[in-house]
Coordinates of all heavy atoms in Angstrom, one line a residue:
M1 N -17.1 -6.3 -2.9 CA -18.5 -6.4 -2.6 C -18.7 -7.4 -1.6 O -18.6 -8.6 -1.8 CB -19.2 -6.7 -4.0 CG -18.9 -5.6 -5.0 SD -19.5 -6.0 -6.7 CE -21.2 -5.3 -6.5
P2 N -19.0 -7.0 -0.3 CA -19.1 -7.9 0.8 C -20.0 -9.1 0.7 O -19.7 -10.2 1.2 CB -19.6 -7.0 2.0 CG -19.4 -5.6 1.5 CD -19.4 -5.6 0.0
N3 N -21.0 -9.0 0.0 CA -22.0 -10.1 -0.2 C -21.9 -10.8 -1.5 O -22.8 -11.5 -1.9 CB -23.4 -9.6 0.1 CG -23.6 -9.1 1.5 OD1 -23.1 -9.8 2.5 ND2 -24.2 -8.0 1.7
G4 N -20.8 -10.5 -2.2 CA -20.6 -11.1 -3.5 C -21.2 -10.2 -4.6 O -21.9 -9.3 -4.3
K5 N -20.8 -10.5 -5.9 CA -21.3 -9.7 -7.0 C -22.5 -10.4 -7.6 O -22.3 -11.5 -8.2 CB -20.2 -9.5 -8.0 CG -20.6 -8.5 -9.1 CD -19.6 -8.5 -10.2 CE -19.9 -9.6 -11.2 NZ -21.3 -9.6 -11.7
P6 N -23.7 -9.8 -7.5 CA -24.8 -10.4 -8.2 C -24.6 -10.4 -9.7 O -23.9 -9.6 -10.3 CB -26.0 -9.5 -7.8 CG -25.5 -8.7 -6.7 CD -24.0 -8.6 -6.8
A7 N -25.2 -11.4 -10.4 CA -25.2 -11.5 -11.9 C -25.7 -10.2 -12.5 O -26.7 -9.6 -12.0 CB -25.9 -12.7 -12.4
G8 N -25.1 -9.7 -13.5 CA -25.6 -8.5 -14.2 C -25.2 -7.2 -13.5 O -25.5 -6.1 -14.0
V9 N -24.5 -7.3 -12.4 CA -24.1 -6.0 -11.7 C -22.6 -5.8 -11.9 O -21.8 -6.7 -11.8 CB -24.4 -6.2 -10.2 CG1 -23.8 -5.0 -9.4 CG2 -25.9 -6.3 -10.0
R10 N -22.2 -4.6 -12.3 CA -20.8 -4.3 -12.6 C -20.1 -4.3 -11.2 O -20.5 -3.7 -10.3 CB -20.7 -2.9 -13.2 CG -19.3 -2.5 -13.7 CD -19.4 -1.2 -14.4 NE -18.1 -0.6 -14.7 CZ -17.4 -0.9 -15.8 NH1 -18.0 -1.7 -16.7 NH2 -16.2 -0.4 -16.0
C11 N -18.9 -4.9 -11.2 CA -18.1 -5.0 -10.0 C -17.7 -3.6 -9.6 O -17.2 -2.8 -10.5 CB -16.9 -5.9 -10.2 SG -15.8 -5.9 -8.8
V12 N -17.7 -3.2 -8.3 CA -17.4 -1.9 -7.9 C -15.9 -1.6 -8.1 O -15.4 -0.5 -8.0 CB -17.8 -1.7 -6.4 CG1 -19.3 -1.7 -6.2 CG2 -17.1 -2.7 -5.5
Q13 N -15.1 -2.7 -8.2 CA -13.6 -2.5 -8.4 C -13.2 -2.3 -9.9 O -12.1 -2.1 -10.2 CB -12.9 -3.8 -7.8 CG -13.2 -4.0 -6.4 CD -12.8 -2.9 -5.5 OE1 -12.0 -2.0 -5.8 NE2 -13.2 -3.0 -4.2
L14 N -14.2 -2.4 -10.8 CA -13.9 -2.3 -12.2 C -13.8 -0.8 -12.6 O -14.8 0.0 -12.3 CB -15.0 -3.0 -13.0 CG -14.7 -3.4 -14.4 CD1 -13.4 -4.2 -14.5 CD2 -15.8 -4.1 -15.0
T15 N -12.7 -0.4 -13.1 CA -12.5 1.0 -13.4 C -13.2 1.4 -14.7 O -13.7 0.5 -15.5 CB -11.0 1.4 -13.6 OG1 -10.5 0.7 -14.7 CG2 -10.2 0.9 -12.3
E16 N -13.2 2.7 -15.0 CA -13.8 3.1 -16.3 C -13.1 2.5 -17.5 O -13.6 2.4 -18.6 CB -13.8 4.6 -16.4 CG -14.8 5.3 -15.4 CD -14.9 6.8 -15.7 OE1 -14.6 7.3 -16.7 OE2 -15.4 7.5 -14.7
E17 N -11.8 2.2 -17.3 CA -11.0 1.6 -18.4 C -11.2 0.0 -18.4 O -10.4 -0.7 -19.1 CB -9.5 1.9 -18.2 CG -9.2 3.4 -18.4 CD -9.6 4.2 -17.2 OE1 -9.5 3.7 -16.0 OE2 -9.9 5.4 -17.3
N18 N -12.1 -0.5 -17.6 CA -12.4 -1.9 -17.5 C -11.2 -2.7 -17.0 O -10.9 -3.8 -17.5 CB -12.9 -2.5 -18.8 CG -14.2 -1.9 -19.2 OD1 -15.1 -1.8 -18.4 ND2 -14.4 -1.7 -20.5
R19 N -10.5 -2.1 -16.0 CA -9.4 -2.8 -15.4 C -9.7 -2.9 -13.9 O -10.5 -2.1 -13.3 CB -8.1 -2.0 -15.5 CG -7.6 -1.9 -17.0 CD -6.3 -1.2 -17.1 NE -5.9 -1.1 -18.5 CZ -5.2 -2.1 -19.1 NH1 -5.0 -3.2 -18.5 NH2 -4.9 -2.0 -20.4
C20 N -9.2 -4.0 -13.3 CA -9.4 -4.3 -11.9 C -8.6 -3.3 -11.0 O -7.4 -3.3 -11.1 CB -9.1 -5.7 -11.5 SG -9.3 -6.1 -9.8
A21 N -9.3 -2.5 -10.2 CA -8.7 -1.5 -9.3 C -7.9 -2.2 -8.2 O -7.0 -1.5 -7.6 CB -9.7 -0.6 -8.8
I22 N -8.1 -3.5 -7.9 CA -7.4 -4.1 -6.8 C -6.6 -5.3 -7.3 O -6.3 -6.2 -6.5 CB -8.4 -4.5 -5.7 CG1 -9.5 -5.4 -6.2 CG2 -8.9 -3.3 -5.0 CD1 -10.3 -6.0 -5.1
F23 N -6.2 -5.3 -8.6 CA -5.4 -6.4 -9.1 C -4.1 -6.4 -8.3 O -3.4 -5.4 -8.2 CB -5.1 -6.1 -10.6 CG -4.5 -7.3 -11.3 CD1 -5.3 -8.3 -11.8 CD2 -3.1 -7.4 -11.4 CE1 -4.7 -9.4 -12.4 CE2 -2.5 -8.5 -12.0 CZ -3.3 -9.5 -12.5
G24 N -3.7 -7.6 -7.9 CA -2.4 -7.7 -7.1 C -2.6 -7.4 -5.6 O -1.7 -7.6 -4.9
D25 N -3.8 -6.9 -5.2 CA -4.0 -6.6 -3.8 C -4.6 -7.9 -3.1 O -5.4 -8.6 -3.7 CB -5.1 -5.5 -3.8 CG -5.3 -4.9 -2.4 OD1 -5.6 -5.7 -1.5 OD2 -5.2 -3.7 -2.2
P26 N -4.2 -8.2 -1.9 CA -4.7 -9.4 -1.2 C -6.2 -9.3 -1.0 O -6.8 -10.4 -0.7 CB -3.9 -9.4 0.1 CG -3.1 -8.2 0.2 CD -3.1 -7.5 -1.2
R27 N -6.8 -8.2 -1.1 CA -8.2 -8.1 -0.9 C -9.0 -8.5 -2.1 O -10.2 -8.7 -2.0 CB -8.6 -6.6 -0.6 CG -8.1 -6.1 0.8 CD -8.4 -4.7 1.0 NE -7.6 -3.9 0.0 CZ -7.8 -2.6 -0.3 NH1 -8.6 -1.9 0.4 NH2 -7.0 -2.0 -1.2
R28 N -8.3 -8.7 -3.2 CA -9.0 -9.2 -4.4 C -9.5 -10.6 -4.1 O -8.8 -11.5 -3.6 CB -8.0 -9.2 -5.6 CG -8.6 -9.6 -6.9 CD -7.6 -9.5 -8.0 NE -8.1 -9.8 -9.3 CZ -7.4 -10.7 -10.1 NH1 -6.3 -11.2 -9.8 NH2 -7.9 -10.9 -11.3
P29 N -10.8 -10.9 -4.4 CA -11.4 -12.2 -4.1 C -10.6 -13.3 -4.7 O -10.2 -13.2 -5.9 CB -12.8 -12.1 -4.7 CG -13.1 -10.6 -4.7 CD -11.8 -9.9 -5.0
P30 N -10.4 -14.4 -4.0 CA -9.7 -15.6 -4.5 C -10.3 -16.1 -5.8 O -9.5 -16.5 -6.7 CB -9.8 -16.6 -3.4 CG -9.9 -15.8 -2.2 CD -10.7 -14.6 -2.6
V31 N -11.6 -16.0 -6.0 CA -12.2 -16.5 -7.2 C -11.7 -15.7 -8.4 O -11.5 -16.3 -9.5 CB -13.7 -16.5 -7.1 CG1 -14.3 -15.1 -7.0 CG2 -14.4 -17.2 -8.3
C32 N -11.4 -14.4 -8.2 CA -11.0 -13.6 -9.4 C -9.5 -14.1 -9.8 O -9.2 -14.2 -10.9 CB -10.9 -12.2 -9.0 SG -12.5 -11.5 -8.5
A33 N -8.7 -14.3 -8.8 CA -7.3 -14.7 -9.0 C -7.2 -16.1 -9.6 O -6.3 -16.4 -10.4 CB -6.5 -14.6 -7.8
S34 N -8.2 -17.0 -9.3 CA -8.2 -18.3 -9.8 C -8.7 -18.5 -11.2 O -8.5 -19.6 -11.8 CB -8.9 -19.3 -8.8 OG -10.3 -19.0 -8.8
L35 N -9.5 -17.5 -11.6 CA -10.1 -17.7 -13.0 C -9.0 -17.7 -14.1 O -8.2 -16.7 -14.2 CB -11.1 -16.5 -13.2 CG -11.7 -16.5 -14.6 CD1 -12.7 -17.7 -14.7 CD2 -12.5 -15.2 -14.8
Q36 N -9.0 -18.7 -14.8 CA -8.0 -18.8 -15.9 C -8.8 -18.5 -17.3 O -9.6 -19.4 -17.7 CB -7.4 -20.2 -16.0 CG -6.5 -20.5 -14.8 CD -5.3 -19.6 -14.7 OE1 -4.6 -19.5 -15.7 NE2 -5.2 -18.9 -13.6
P37 N -8.5 -17.4 -17.9 CA -9.2 -17.1 -19.1 C -8.8 -18.1 -20.2 O -7.6 -18.6 -20.2 CB -8.8 -15.7 -19.4 CG -7.6 -15.4 -18.7 CD -7.6 -16.4 -17.5
E38 N -9.6 -18.3 -21.2 CA -9.3 -19.1 -22.3 C -9.9 -18.4 -23.6 O -10.9 -17.6 -23.4 CB -9.8 -20.5 -22.1 CG -11.3 -20.6 -21.9 CD -11.8 -22.0 -21.7 OE1 -11.3 -22.6 -20.7 OE2 -12.6 -22.5 -22.5
P39 N -9.4 -18.8 -24.7 CA -9.9 -18.1 -26.0 C -11.4 -18.1 -26.1 O -12.0 -17.1 -26.5 CB -9.2 -18.9 -27.1 CG -8.0 -19.4 -26.4 CD -8.3 -19.7 -25.0
A40 N -12.1 -19.2 -25.8 CA -13.5 -19.3 -26.0 C -14.3 -18.3 -25.1 O -15.4 -17.8 -25.4 CB -14.0 -20.7 -25.7
M41 N -13.7 -18.0 -23.9 CA -14.3 -17.1 -23.0 C -14.2 -15.6 -23.5 O -15.1 -14.8 -23.3 CB -13.5 -17.2 -21.6 CG -14.0 -16.4 -20.5 SD -12.9 -16.5 -19.1 CE -12.9 -18.2 -18.8
C42 N -13.1 -15.3 -24.1 CA -12.8 -13.9 -24.5 C -13.3 -13.6 -25.9 O -13.6 -12.5 -26.2 CB -11.3 -13.7 -24.4 SG -10.6 -13.9 -22.8
G43 N -13.3 -14.6 -26.8 CA -13.7 -14.4 -28.2 C -12.7 -13.5 -28.8 O -11.6 -13.3 -28.4
S44 N -13.1 -12.9 -29.9 CA -12.2 -12.0 -30.7 C -12.4 -10.5 -30.4 O -11.7 -9.7 -30.8 CB -12.3 -12.3 -32.2 OG -13.6 -12.0 -32.6
D45 N -13.5 -10.2 -29.7 CA -13.8 -8.8 -29.3 C -14.7 -8.7 -28.1 O -15.1 -9.7 -27.6 CB -14.4 -8.1 -30.5 CG -15.7 -8.7 -31.0 OD1 -16.4 -9.3 -30.2 OD2 -16.0 -8.6 -32.2
R46 N -14.9 -7.5 -27.6 CA -15.7 -7.3 -26.4 C -17.1 -7.9 -26.6 O -17.6 -8.4 -25.6 CB -15.7 -5.8 -26.1 CG -16.4 -5.5 -24.8 CD -16.4 -4.0 -24.5 NE -16.9 -3.7 -23.2 CZ -18.2 -3.7 -22.9 NH1 -19.1 -3.8 -23.8 NH2 -18.6 -3.4 -21.6
G47 N -17.7 -7.7 -27.7 CA -19.1 -8.2 -27.9 C -19.2 -9.7 -27.7 O -20.1 -10.2 -27.1
Q48 N -18.2 -10.5 -28.2 CA -18.2 -11.9 -28.0 C -18.0 -12.3 -26.5 O -18.6 -13.2 -26.0 CB -17.1 -12.6 -28.9 CG -17.5 -12.6 -30.4 CD -16.5 -13.3 -31.2 OE1 -15.5 -13.8 -30.7 NE2 -16.7 -13.3 -32.5
A49 N -17.1 -11.5 -25.9 CA -16.8 -11.8 -24.4 C -18.1 -11.5 -23.6 O -18.5 -12.3 -22.7 CB -15.7 -10.9 -24.0
M50 N -18.8 -10.4 -23.9 CA -20.0 -10.1 -23.2 C -21.1 -11.1 -23.5 O -21.9 -11.5 -22.6 CB -20.5 -8.7 -23.6 CG -19.6 -7.6 -23.1 SD -19.2 -7.6 -21.3 CE -20.9 -7.2 -20.7
A51 N -21.2 -11.6 -24.7 CA -22.2 -12.7 -25.0 C -21.9 -13.9 -24.2 O -22.8 -14.6 -23.7 CB -22.2 -13.0 -26.5
W52 N -20.6 -14.3 -24.0 CA -20.2 -15.4 -23.2 C -20.6 -15.2 -21.8 O -21.2 -16.1 -21.2 CB -18.7 -15.7 -23.4 CG -18.2 -16.8 -22.6 CD1 -17.8 -16.8 -21.3 CD2 -18.0 -18.2 -23.0 NE1 -17.4 -18.0 -20.9 CE2 -17.5 -18.9 -21.9 CE3 -18.2 -18.8 -24.2 CZ2 -17.2 -20.3 -22.0 CZ3 -17.9 -20.2 -24.3 CH2 -17.4 -20.9 -23.2
L53 N -20.3 -14.1 -21.3 CA -20.7 -13.8 -19.9 C -22.2 -13.8 -19.6 O -22.7 -14.4 -18.7 CB -20.1 -12.4 -19.5 CG -18.7 -12.3 -19.1 CD1 -18.2 -10.9 -18.9 CD2 -18.4 -13.1 -17.9
T54 N -22.9 -13.2 -20.6 CA -24.4 -13.2 -20.4 C -24.9 -14.6 -20.5 O -25.8 -15.0 -19.7 CB -25.0 -12.4 -21.6 OG1 -24.5 -11.0 -21.5 CG2 -26.5 -12.3 -21.5
A55 N -24.4 -15.5 -21.3 CA -24.9 -16.9 -21.4 C -24.6 -17.6 -20.1 O -25.4 -18.3 -19.5 CB -24.2 -17.6 -22.5
L56 N -23.4 -17.3 -19.5 CA -23.0 -18.0 -18.2 C -24.0 -17.5 -17.1 O -24.4 -18.2 -16.3 CB -21.6 -17.7 -17.8 CG -20.5 -18.4 -18.6 CD1 -19.1 -17.9 -18.1 CD2 -20.6 -19.9 -18.4
E57 N -24.2 -16.2 -17.1 CA -25.1 -15.6 -16.0 C -26.5 -16.1 -16.1 O -27.1 -16.4 -15.1 CB -25.0 -14.1 -16.1 CG -23.7 -13.5 -15.6 CD -23.6 -12.0 -15.4 OE1 -24.5 -11.3 -16.0 OE2 -22.7 -11.6 -14.8
T58 N -27.0 -16.3 -17.4 CA -28.3 -16.8 -17.6 C -28.4 -18.2 -17.1 O -29.3 -18.7 -16.5 CB -28.7 -16.7 -19.1 OG1 -28.7 -15.3 -19.4 CG2 -30.1 -17.2 -19.3
A59 N -27.4 -19.0 -17.5 CA -27.4 -20.4 -17.1 C -27.3 -20.7 -15.6 O -27.7 -21.7 -15.2 CB -26.2 -21.1 -17.9
T60 N -26.7 -19.8 -14.9 CA -26.5 -20.0 -13.5 C -27.3 -19.1 -12.6 O -27.1 -19.0 -11.4 CB -25.0 -19.7 -13.1 OG1 -24.6 -18.4 -13.5 CG2 -24.0 -20.7 -13.9
A61 N -28.3 -18.4 -13.2 CA -29.1 -17.5 -12.5 C -30.0 -18.2 -11.5 O -30.5 -19.4 -11.8 CB -30.0 -16.7 -13.4
A62 N -30.2 -17.7 -10.3 CA -31.1 -18.3 -9.3 C -32.5 -18.2 -9.9 O -32.9 -17.2 -10.5 CB -31.0 -17.6 -8.0
G63 N -33.3 -19.3 -9.6 CA -34.7 -19.4 -10.1 C -35.4 -18.2 -10.0 O -36.3 -17.7 -10.4
Ligands
SF4_1 S1 -11.1 -9.2 -11.0 FE1 -12.7 -9.4 -9.4 S2 -12.4 -7.7 -8.1 FE2 -11.3 -7.2 -10.0 S3 -12.9 -6.1 -11.2 FE3 -13.0 -8.3 -11.8 S4 -14.6 -9.1 -10.5 FE4 -14.0 -7.1 -9.6

């Protein structure tokens, strides 16, 4: 996504299986490769992970 991925917008590289289509490709944004997941970020299921992401996006949303 040339201008970055806006909050709440699904990445165009995310497949239907929720996998990165350009994983391991040099075109993958450095920020993606540098992100280190941790248990609090992922939770125990998809619902907890989405709640974490939503909280982050809300906290960092532009005015
Ligand atoms: S790792 Fe980055 S490029 Fe890949 S799907 Fe996630 S946000 Fe998109």
